[in-house]
Amino acid sequence: MPLTKEVVLGKHVWERHSCINCHTLHGEGAYFAPELGNVMTRWGVTDDPEAAYEVLTGWMEAQPSGIEGRRQMPQFNLTPEEIRGLAEFLRWADQTDTQGWPPTNAG
């Protein structure tokens, strides 16, 4: 997958909001929240940019979930452009040759 302007924007969103402080990306980062290096595969949208954007939008809009006893993701109030960029960054990361990492589909 090419390194597009949307992928770069998504990487900037990732960095600006310090996503790595809670999530891992290909094993790098914190283990508070799920691995995101293969999240688009888990969601079944790796090859569908529009579906990736829609699923990520739904997820982001539902945060925090308010489910008692569950770790909560903050509401970042991202713009549609930022969410699309983040979706493209995560699709790009998901298609990186990681030589078998993560070892399970769950991350």
Side-chain angles (χ1 to χ4, degrees):
M1 183 171 165
L3 192 59
T4 64
K5 291 188 337 187
E6 287 177 323
V7 173
V8 172
L9 171 62
K11 175 69 160 87
H12 288 282
V13 171
W14 173 268
E15 291 172 347
R16 186 171 51 254
H17 293 287
S18 303
C19 301
I20 204 160
N21 286 350
C22 294
H23 292 278
T24 54
L25 186 68
H26 302 311
E28 294 290 326
Y31 290 93
F32 181 77
E35 162 71 41
L36 295 181
N38 67 347
V39 69
M40 295 298 171
T41 294
R42 293 195 314 265
W43 288 351
V45 296
T46 305
D47 297 323
D48 188 341
E50 196 57 33
Y53 166 72
E54 290 173 7
V55 172
L56 185 58
T57 297
W59 176 259
M60 298 297 286
E61 288 177 352
Q63 301 309 312
S65 68
I67 299 170
E68 189 172 328
R70 184 173 178 153
R71 295 174 181 165
Q72 300 296 306
M73 184 167 143
Q75 174 52 256
F76 291 106
N77 298 308
L78 301 179
T79 67
E81 180 184 42
E82 290 172 320
I83 294 172
R84 189 171 298 280
L86 188 56
E88 286 303 286
F89 171 65
L90 293 173
R91 280 187 350 98
W92 176 85
D94 201 321
Q95 295 177 38
T96 302
D97 181 5
T98 60
Q99 300 179 8
W101 182 266
T104 67
N105 192 37

